[in-house]
Amino acid sequence: MPYEVVNTSVAQGLTPNHSGYCDVVRTRGLPEEITPLLAPLNYYDDQLGRGRPAFGVRTIRFGGRAWGVVSRVIPNGNDYTGRPNRLAHHVLTPPSETDSISPARILSQFKFRDSFDGTPRYLDREPEIPSTESNCDEVWTALGGQGWCLHISQLALAGSRLVVLIPPSVDGRSVVTSLVAHLPIDQRWALSVAESSSAEQCWAQGVAVRILTTDLDDESGRRTWPGEVLIDLRVSRTAPAPSRSRERDVAQGSATEPSQVVELDFGAFDANRSEGRSDEGSGPIEVAISFESAPVVTRHGAGERTHDCRPLEIQPTSWKQIVAWTILGLITGGFLGFVIRSAI
Amino acid sequence: MTATAPTTLVGQVQCPSCAHSFRTENVRFIAEHVSLQGDSIAGPLEGVRFRSSRFDLDGNAIDMAGRACTRTACPRCHIEMPRALLECSTNFISIIGAPGSGKSCLLGAASWSLRRCAGEYGCSWVDVEPRLNALLHGYESALFAGKGGTFHVPRKTEVSGGDWYHQIRVGARIESFPKPMFFRIGWQGDHGDASSVMVLYDNAGEHFQPVAENAEPAYTRHLGRAQALLFVFDPTMAQSAESSHRQELVLIEAIARIRRLSGVDQNAKLEIPLIVALTKADLWGAKEGIDLSNRPIAQGRRVDLDRKAIDAVGAKAQAFVAGAFPELVQSVSAFVDKVYWVPCSALKMASDGAAKNSVVRGESQWSEVPLLLAFDEASRRQGRK
């Protein structure tokens, strides 16, 4: 059974003698000890959020297992002390149900609260999660095509950290929904996405993709960290999907092989950006500071996909080596045994 | 070349964030070169922390890329700390209070007031490292230094995340520590100029509520090393229909944590001084015969505080609290040995005659006194040790 939690600043919270930021709505049965783990997800960044709702898909570890959390945080007027307030609404999926409940279903159709009135209360019913998810893919037509969605999610699953800049005219909720909707069912909670979140917050929460809504001339949110890939989808409405040659071009701006970790050099970083703008014209600007793991691009029909090389994945060539070394070991062991027995 | 390296260093330093105590020579430096960005504990946006074996003539460490490094960090939590902590004595002061009691407002008002009038108290008051006090500068600007004299209420202190906390990686998990604020307070000592670094902690009031400590104890760990406690009590809050919060519970919880964190005997009273700052005195002070129009200034050993004037006003304030909030006075006298009651006002409420509305102005009265008193008491105790 999924749970929901609403957190905002009130004079009297759900817990007796608690005021200020506290839970005001909680599904009965949800352990109270989980509340502090949700506290970092309640934060609303005014500068990056600009009054728009900030959606996020993350996992938290509670009781030794991963819980899925879909969140929406919005500014919520002033609180009882007259100071700016925010309201965070989380839908939590317990570990036993993460396989059956997709974050895209919650994101696309769940009715998140816009405000809180009345007295704090426990909910006896579970949150109403629709059985189907709505298709949000059309949002990518304004961002250069569906290829970007696949490219971003695959890069993130491969271990890269990404910043995706989108224009204010595009609905951030649809972008987040679409990103998680196209993943295989067993990996839908593996991709953590947060909207309007700073680099520090994303690092602390282990978020792989952060989506920032900014104007073209706005430089806020450009603070990136080594290894982060910046994908700027604000420039073009008809940008082509990413290609192998493009990715290589970007990486070669500061290194010869895309698989190498590129030493951070802000001079080269700026040069890459300016080159991207002047050469590509209206094309999207993608700047790779470094790739934590090299995406290997293989062709599948007309489109292109990236496949990640997972560190623990054993390749067929590795199996051959293991078998060969085992046989060699057996022969050597047998020979040594024979020699020792002969000597005795 | 003139070497500017300090001639004296303190032997033992205590990290203001994680409370780790270490010898000065074990301090970590923060690499300055951009190629050395990304620290395993402090985060990918921070420079690498390293223990230097190469120094320039000014005593600055030289990082692996050859850059001189002036910033220092704790060897355990890797959080940046001002270099002044290696050279000066340190006074830790914890500010506690219920949510919405006005801790951040009082801190902003006190700091702003001291920037303007510290000389009257015979001392100086400056940021040790302005970058590390950016949060407080925001409070000051919102309250007093807005464009065209405009006034804004500072943002509510967040419970987690945002600008209020340092986040570090400890093993597989992330820990948050409240960002301390650092000020250098200087005075004319017996042997010339002397100074001390005051470390202030401004937590969210929610952190002092019972049960919140269970999951995230790091938020209020500084209570265990506090040399003075500043309890912000808003007498007008109890009369507000909106809020029915019991503020004395916050104090009781804080004292219980101090006992746990610093190992104080359950039967013993706390030895550290408690300064109860009774805020919004502009609303209730006049009725109690409390006059805060003059600053309490008289010749003192470190800062020129008029103790007699403070005690006289404090007695009236205590009588008022004893009548209106006897539970607070009982709790305080049961747990703490040395208590000072200081009425003050961070902002002034004035009635606008034309519009017949109340207008809040950025005008403080005695807001700096609780802070100076806390420092004076803490440094006296330090001197006696």
Side-chain angles (χ1 to χ4, degrees), chain B residues 317-341:
Chain B
Q318 188 181 358
F320 160 65
V321 175
F325 310 99
E327 70 280 5
L328 175 67
V329 178
Q330 287 300 317
S331 305
V332 165
S333 55
F335 292 126
V336 189
D337 216 11
K338 207 164 193 179
V339 189
Y340 293 90
W341 303 84

Side-chain angles (χ1 to χ4, degrees), chain B residues 199-357:
Chain B
V199 184
L200 302 168
Y201 298 89
D202 176 30
N203 276 78
E206 288 86 339
H207 289 154
F208 300 109
Q209 292 174 337
V211 315
E213 179 78 354
N214 294 349
E216 289 291 344
Y219 289 129
T220 54
R221 277 278 164 91
H222 56 82
L223 288 172
R225 60 181 176 280
Q227 290 159 310
L229 276 185
L230 188 56
F231 177 53
V232 180
F233 184 84
D234 178 4
T236 65
M237 195 188 256
Q239 287 148 14
S240 160
E242 285 285 313
S243 173
S244 58
H245 193 81
R246 288 177 56 193
Q247 297 178 72
E248 91 280 1
L249 288 180
V250 167
L251 180 67
I252 295 170
E253 174 69 19
I255 289 171
R257 286 185 199 177
I258 292 171
R259 282 189 196 282
R260 284 202 301 270
L261 294 167
S262 58
V264 177
D265 189 332
Q266 295 296 320
N267 297 318
K269 286 187 175 183
L270 285 191
E271 285 184 0
I272 58 172
L274 171 71
I275 289 88
V276 184
L278 300 159
T279 57
K280 299 184 184 169
D282 56 311
L283 296 177
W284 56 268
K287 288 178 201 163
E288 308 301 324
I290 293 170
D291 179 21
L292 303 179
S293 54
N294 297 318
R295 291 198 170 105
I297 298 170
Q299 183 72 36
R301 193 171 168 202
R302 288 181 180 82
V303 288
D304 295 343
L305 274 179
D306 185 352
R307 294 297 192 110
K308 283 182 183 168
I310 293 171
D311 289 343
V313 169
K316 288 180 187 174
Q318 188 181 358
F320 160 65
V321 175
F325 310 99
E327 70 280 5
L328 175 67
V329 178
Q330 287 300 317
S331 305
V332 165
S333 55
F335 292 126
V336 189
D337 216 11
K338 207 164 193 179
V339 189
Y340 293 90
W341 303 84
V342 184
C344 58
S345 164
L347 306 164
K348 190 165 187 178
M349 188 81 79
S351 59
D352 186 349
K356 291 183 179 176
N357 288 330

Side-chain angles (χ1 to χ4, degrees), chain A residues 200-201 203-204, chain B residues 41-42 160-161 165-169 174-176:
Chain A
E200 291 93 336
Q201 293 301 312
W203 171 73
Chain B
I41 295 174
S160 178
Y165 304 93
H166 287 293
Q167 291 176 317
I168 60 161
R169 184 177 290 280
I174 298 289
E175 274 212 13
S176 285

